[in-house]
Amino acid sequence: MTNQGNKLLPETAVDDVDTPDEVLAKRVVADLIENGLISQTDGERIQNALAGGKLDGPGWKLAFENCIERQEVK
Amino acid sequence: MSALESLTITNVRGYVEPFTVEFEKGKKLCIIYGENGTGKTTLSDALELLSSGTMGSLDNKGLGKAKKYWHPAGKNGKRGTVELKTKAVTYSASIDNGVVSWTPPALKPPLAVLRMRQLLQIVTAAAADRYSAIADLVDVSGVTQSEQALANLAKEIERDVQAQTSRVAGAQEILQKLFASASGSNGDSLEWARANIQRDAVDVLADVRALDALKNACESLERSHEAYSTVYKTLEPVRTEADEAAKALVVIEHQVCVADAELLELLQAASRIFSAHPQSEACPLCDSTEHAVDLGVRVQSRLAAMGALRAARKRQTDSARALGDANTRLSLVQKGYANERTSFEQLLTTHASLGSTMSDAGPPANVADLAAWLENTRLQKEAWAHQRDELAVSGSNAEKLRQALKTYDENYALAERSTTLHAALKRGLDRMKLTRHVFVNALLAEISDEVARLYEQVHPGEGLRKINLSLDQNRRASLDLSTRFQASDAAPPQAYFSDSHLDTLGLCVFLALAKRRSPHTNMLVLDDVLASVDEPHVDRVIEMLYAEAQHFRHVVVLTHYRPWREKFRWGWLKHGQCQLVELGKWSESVGPTLVRSTGEIERLRQLLTPPDLDGQAICAKSGVVLEAVLDFLTELYQCRLPRKPKNDWTLGDLLPAIDKKLRPALRIEMHDPAAPSGYKSHPLGPILDELQTIAQTRNVVGAHFNKLAFELLDADAERFARQVLELAELLVDPEHGWPRSNKSGSYWATAKDTRRLHPLYMPG
């Protein structure tokens, strides 16, 4: 993580810590799991793509449909 | 980044000779003091060059390509180097004609530089620039992009639901119409459709196929009849011709009396000979000359008679063959008809359920009788065609019914599934938006709170505590800065704060942001950031920097603020956490120089080190140190002193101010791990008493030219100085400063509680 493009603060290299995207992605996934909208397995599967802006429509659809199917089976 | 050990700069701007700053172990704050023009800014430039390959101080100064000024003036060819040694690694950068390279490649120290002219920018920058300053801390564009994909998917599924629902409605309408046309009433068309779909679909199509087969069979019979008629019509003339040809042959055979055809061949051979030898005088067969005349003519005549016989025979043969052919065709027609008749009767038997007005008798056995039979069954054939057309319409409706029901069932299931999915997606999207909103606001609130906390340290009680950073809801990547001011909860500080306050705010924002960027591994360089801070706030800013420096790997403060140096020298600051580096005068040939910066008490100790004791020097220094100690004590206990215009009290004023009640009560507890209580007690009263008796030594020897000094021994001066040094060393911890904290409630303490000064209050 770097503060590239920052006109007010110079470039500063920092540790290998979670980016805001990564932290938020974790919270979003946890919230969706807690609310029964996706499964734990799918949550773990989509988390990195979610943080990286790479989770597309089919990816989302699969996660939600899997959860709906499991609920229907129950 | 591990602890810093040293920084060496060579051939960078004014640093024409190798210049090294050694960093003291365990001290996270390093103050580099120097008057203007001593090389402070170049030092921060060198660090910035090492970390990012730029020199911020040269930006926006109208220099164009500033890289050519990175080297010493007129020495662009000289290779410049900056080397920062840490415990773990040495960072090194070199510049050759403005090109920076690192050793090892791409290894740069993590540090951030803040310069005075940037302070105001941080606050007054456009909202977008301000956002870019914190983008790496709050940027969640990745999640936002994925969130947009989820929103798009929710819209897409919503459109699917609409399309599927529409198709269900369309299918229902078709079913209702079919139901109405079939039953003539309204009702549950769906139930009706399900009940009828199987029967209609199978039976109707089978009947249509059966009727088509009957129709085809009828047409085959008709074709048989036509074929028979055609053959029959040609049979009679052929038969007549055959009879006539036979009769004609009998007549001609009587006429020519020809025994057989062999004679004909003989005559034909003779004719060829007579044609070749027209003047022959004998019979070519027997060589007789009898009747030889005109023998050729006679042969020709007999051949002519034989030609009629040949023609008659050919006619008879041809007509007999034609008759045979006609009979064969008739036989084939009859045979074909027999097959068609059998097929028809089988079809009629198989599909008897279709109903028939036909008599029990099928097609006649003889094809010659077929015409009458066909005429008799014409009405039946028309009835079948009509029946077939009606069934075809019915079959078409059955197909419509099947398609409509299929469309209904498929789309009803899809619509149900899509509706469930859409509801889940919509809920997920709402949850995600909420989570993101809460997350970003919490991040900003944390930064805002930290800025406010730092700002409050510098400006306590000024009512400016509430500083808000908030994202502009209407614009992307835009950060608003506001404060509570007078009656407004969201006033822009730029509109109401003084430049000095805005500078302080800028410093607080910088520190708050830097603290969030892994501070324990980062190094901060603050270049002259105290310059615009007004006097009442400088001490608080310094205190804040002391406190905040502990959160970073290292903080280097470059300043020309002289009081800071003086306070450091007097031990008023926390030496244990802080190192002072003093830059001396810069020269063109040497560049910057280092000044040995020693504390006053340490300096006194050094002056007392044999062998070269200078009585005047040690008296002068010890007098100043004693005045500092007494100034501290009299202020701490609010002792009575004579009123003076400039409060320029002398030892003659200060020593008696430590009166007979206070003096015996004064004692220092020094931290001593060997002592049972952990502290060893030292009374100050005896030292002060002794000093009061010899204080004149300072004035006589150390303050002025005084002939009385001729009569004093150096030992008197040394005695005075050593008493002062003992007092000062008891009171002041070289690492943790003076006992200024009364938080214990029973004594005054230095930082880390290494010295305890009693009593807490002036005895009553």
Side-chain angles (χ1 to χ4, degrees):
Chain A
M1 184 177 79
T2 59
N3 54 339
Q4 285 179 345
N6 185 340
K7 295 176 183 175
L8 304 178
L9 301 180
E11 177 72 13
T12 304
V14 294
D15 283 357
D16 186 18
V17 294
D18 284 349
T19 64
D21 266 323
E22 289 164 344
V23 177
L24 177 56
K26 272 184 200 169
R27 294 190 187 180
V28 168
V29 164
D31 184 70
L32 294 177
I33 293 170
E34 189 181 326
N35 281 275
L37 292 165
I38 61 172
S39 69
Q40 181 81 34
T41 307
D42 279 320
E44 288 168 6
R45 181 178 58 79
I46 67 172
Q47 187 169 302
N48 286 341
L50 170 61
K54 305 285 185 192
L55 188 57
D56 56 10
W60 277 116
K61 192 177 179 186
L62 182 63
F64 277 82
E65 281 183 338
N66 283 344
C67 191
I68 291 169
E69 276 175 17
R70 282 197 190 89
Q71 286 165 354
E72 283 172 351
V73 170
K74 286 176 186 174
Chain B
M1 188 174 176
S2 59
L4 300 189
E5 291 187 342
S6 67
L7 170 69
T8 302
I9 306 167
T10 309
N11 285 327
V12 177
R13 291 173 51 71
Y15 285 60
V16 293
E17 293 291 331
F19 178 86
T20 298
V21 175
E22 304 281 351
F23 294 101
E24 291 178 13
K25 190 178 177 184
K27 296 184 176 179
K28 289 191 168 188
L29 180 62
C30 176
I31 299 157
I32 299 181
Y33 169 82
E35 303 292 341
N36 288 333
T38 52
K40 298 188 299 296
T41 296
T42 298
L43 197 147
S44 67
D45 278 342
L47 284 168
E48 189 175 10
L49 183 85
L50 185 61
S51 73
S52 63
T54 59
M55 279 195 191
S57 76
L58 298 181
D59 291 345
N60 304 319
K61 285 189 173 176
L63 293 173
K65 292 182 179 177
K67 289 184 177 181
K68 60 185 174 183
Y69 303 105
W70 289 358
H71 297 271
K75 295 181 179 176
N76 277 351
K78 278 208 166 183
R79 183 167 171 269
T81 59
V82 182
E83 190 177 86
L84 182 65
K85 279 188 182 174
T86 71
K87 194 174 179 182
V89 67
T90 297
Y91 301 96
S92 179
S94 61
I95 42 175
D96 277 310
N97 290 315
V99 178
V100 187
S101 56
W102 284 266
T103 307
L107 182 63
K108 304 170 189 176
L111 66 84
V113 179
L114 178 66
R115 303 175 195 281
M116 190 194 77
R117 62 187 169 83
Q118 287 176 286
L119 287 174
L120 204 58
Q121 284 178 358
I122 289 178
V123 180
T124 59
D129 291 339
R130 198 181 296 126
Y131 177 83
S132 75
I134 67 159
D136 63 312
L137 298 177
V138 299
D139 180 27
V140 288
S141 57
V143 172
T144 308
Q145 200 171 328
S146 296
E147 182 185 306
Q148 188 57 49
L150 178 58
N152 292 342
L153 176 64
K155 280 181 189 169
E156 184 186 319
I157 299 300
E158 188 177 16
R159 285 193 293 273
D160 286 351
V161 169
Q162 288 169 352
Q164 288 151 0
T165 306
S166 173
R167 284 196 282 273
V168 166
Q172 272 181 318
E173 191 178 337
I174 292 169
L175 290 174
Q176 193 61 45
K177 280 180 183 172
L178 290 172
F179 175 63
S181 72
S183 66
S185 64
N186 291 323
D188 189 342
S189 59
L190 201 58
E191 190 179 334
W192 167 82
R194 292 197 195 289
N196 284 274
I197 183 68
Q198 289 301 325
R199 185 180 62 78
D200 282 355
V202 175
D203 296 352
V204 171
L205 288 175
D207 287 351
V208 168
R209 280 196 297 274
L211 288 166
D212 281 341
L214 278 171
K215 179 189 166 202
N216 291 337
C218 272
E219 286 171 355
S220 294
L221 290 175
E222 285 169 356
R223 280 194 295 277
S224 292
H225 170 64
E226 286 169 10
Y228 172 75
S229 296
T230 304
V231 172
Y232 188 76
K233 279 178 189 171
T234 59
L235 185 61
E236 278 305 311
V238 171
R239 189 176 287 153
T240 303
E241 169 63 16
D243 289 346
E244 288 176 356
K247 288 175 183 172
L249 180 61
V250 170
V251 171
I252 289 176
E253 282 176 342
H254 281 294
Q255 287 175 351
V256 294
C257 293
V258 176
D260 50 40
E262 291 167 356
L263 179 59
L264 179 61
E265 291 173 6
L266 180 61
L267 289 173
Q268 285 172 332
S271 177
R272 284 194 295 272
I273 291 171
F274 287 129
S275 293
H277 306 283
Q279 302 303 322
S280 178
E281 293 178 353
C283 172
L285 188 62
C286 63
D287 202 24
S288 173
T289 55
E290 190 178 1
H291 306 297
V293 180
D294 300 329
L295 187 57
V297 176
R298 288 197 306 276
V299 167
Q300 287 299 325
S301 175
R302 290 191 67 178
L303 274 174
M306 290 298 284
L309 174 62
R310 195 169 66 244
R313 281 184 178 176
K314 186 174 186 300
R315 181 186 171 195
Q316 187 272 332
T317 304
D318 290 346
S319 61
R321 187 184 301 120
L323 182 61
D325 290 347
N327 281 328
T328 300
R329 285 199 297 277
L330 183 63
S331 174
L332 286 173
V333 168
Q334 284 173 331
K335 193 175 177 184
Y337 168 71
N339 290 336
E340 300 295 344
R341 177 172 170 262
T342 303
S343 298
F344 182 83
E345 285 179 335
Q346 282 175 348
L347 280 173
L348 207 57
T349 305
T350 306
H351 302 297
S353 61
L354 292 172
S356 169
T357 58
M358 203 175 286
S359 63
D360 290 341
N366 191 345
V367 67
D369 303 327
L370 186 59
W373 186 86
L374 286 173
E375 180 57 28
N376 290 337
T377 57
R378 186 175 55 78
L379 290 176
Q380 177 61 63
K381 189 186 164 194
E382 288 173 2
W384 281 339
H386 182 68
Q387 188 181 359
R388 191 261 174 212
D389 290 345
E390 283 188 338
L391 281 172
V393 172
S394 174
S396 172
N397 281 346
E399 181 59 19
K400 280 184 190 169
L401 179 69
R402 192 183 65 77
Q403 284 292 347
L405 195 58
K406 185 182 174 194
T407 302
Y408 176 88
D409 286 342
E410 285 179 356
N411 285 279
Y412 185 84
L414 285 173
E416 266 198 330
R417 189 164 186 77
S418 297
T419 302
T420 306
L421 178 61
H422 179 255
L425 292 173
K426 189 77 174 57
R427 193 163 155 242
L429 184 62
D430 290 343
R431 295 285 330 161
M432 191 170 173
K433 282 180 180 173
L434 180 65
T435 306
R436 176 173 55 82
H437 188 71
V438 168
F439 175 77
V440 173
N441 280 349
L443 276 180
L444 289 173
E446 283 176 18
I447 298 171
S448 298
D449 288 349
E450 180 61 9
V451 172
R453 186 186 71 76
L454 295 173
Y455 195 70
E456 180 66 11
Q457 285 184 27
V458 182
H459 300 277
E462 293 185 23
L464 306 174
R465 180 177 174 80
K466 189 65 181 171
I467 304 291
N468 273 325
L469 289 166
S470 57
L471 291 179
D472 190 323
Q473 298 297 325
N474 300 318
R475 284 179 295 173
R476 281 183 61 78
S478 183
L479 183 70
D480 286 337
L481 176 66
S482 63
T483 184
R484 185 182 296 162
F485 190 76
Q486 294 176 330
S488 172
D489 282 337
Q494 310 92 299
Y496 300 103
F497 283 17
S498 69
D499 279 358
S500 173
H501 281 73
L502 290 177
D503 280 351
T504 312
L505 182 56
L507 177 61
C508 294
V509 171
F510 177 86
L511 288 173
L513 296 181
K515 273 176 77 176
R516 293 192 71 86
R517 292 188 177 96
S518 298
H520 294 292
T521 57
N522 280 356
M523 175 181 176
L524 287 191
V525 180
L526 306 176
D527 185 7
D528 225 6
V529 294
L530 297 179
S532 67
V533 181
D534 54 2
E535 189 63 26
H537 298 111
V538 170
D539 283 352
R540 296 199 197 105
V541 172
I542 291 171
E543 280 297 317
M544 179 183 75
L545 290 177
Y546 267 94
E548 295 309 311
Q550 306 314 311
H551 297 290
F552 295 90
R553 170 60 60 198
H554 217 102
V555 177
V556 174
V557 180
L558 298 122
T559 183
H560 65 265
Y561 183 65
R562 189 178 175 86
W564 200 340
R565 183 191 71 166
E566 297 306 316
K567 288 176 183 179
F568 186 90
R569 283 184 171 182
W570 279 108
W572 288 13
L573 303 174
K574 299 160 187 168
H575 286 205
Q577 303 168 18
C578 179
Q579 172 191 4
L580 178 70
V581 174
E582 192 171 342
L583 297 180
K585 193 176 178 183
W586 177 86
S587 72
E588 195 171 332
S589 58
V590 179
T593 54
L594 274 178
V595 174
R596 184 177 170 80
S597 191
T598 309
E600 299 297 329
I601 297 169
E602 174 61 21
R603 185 77 183 135
L604 175 57
R605 185 184 297 109
Q606 290 172 1
L607 288 171
L608 282 167
T609 303
D612 299 322
L613 292 181
D614 180 343
Q616 192 276 329
I618 60 176
C619 271
K621 181 59 72 181
S622 57
V624 173
V625 172
L626 180 58
E627 282 175 351
V629 168
L630 294 175
D631 183 74
F632 171 77
L633 290 172
T634 54
E635 184 180 339
L636 197 68
Y637 292 104
Q638 298 174 20
C639 299
R640 291 175 184 171
L641 284 162
R643 187 178 177 199
K644 290 190 171 183
K646 295 180 182 175
N647 289 339
D648 48 351
W649 297 294
T650 64
L651 289 179
D653 301 318
L654 293 166
L655 270 169
I658 311 293
D659 62 18
K660 60 183 180 185
K661 289 183 181 174
L662 176 60
R663 192 170 295 182
L666 283 172
R667 64 186 172 89
I668 282 286
E669 286 183 324
M670 285 181 72
H671 179 59
D672 184 356
S677 65
Y679 287 89
K680 189 174 179 183
S681 185
H682 300 270
L684 300 185
I687 302 173
L688 290 168
D689 288 342
E690 173 74 5
L691 282 170
Q692 191 152 7
T693 62
I694 61 174
Q696 282 303 315
T697 308
R698 186 264 181 124
N699 286 340
V700 172
V701 180
H704 310 288
F705 172 74
N706 195 328
K707 290 178 182 174
L708 286 173
F710 299 169
E711 299 175 17
L712 286 176
L713 300 172
D714 281 345
D716 294 328
E718 186 180 350
R719 179 181 160 214
F720 171 71
R722 290 201 182 280
Q723 288 295 319
V724 171
L725 182 61
E726 184 182 357
L727 177 65
E729 286 186 329
L730 282 172
L731 194 63
V732 183
D733 185 317
E735 293 298 316
H736 300 292
W738 298 58
R740 293 177 185 277
S741 169
N742 61 355
K743 286 181 183 172
S744 69
S746 56
Y747 54 82
W748 296 93
T750 60
K752 305 284 185 187
D753 212 19
T754 56
R755 300 280 198 280
R756 293 172 174 178
L757 172 63
H758 295 269
L760 185 62
Y761 301 113
M762 173 73 88

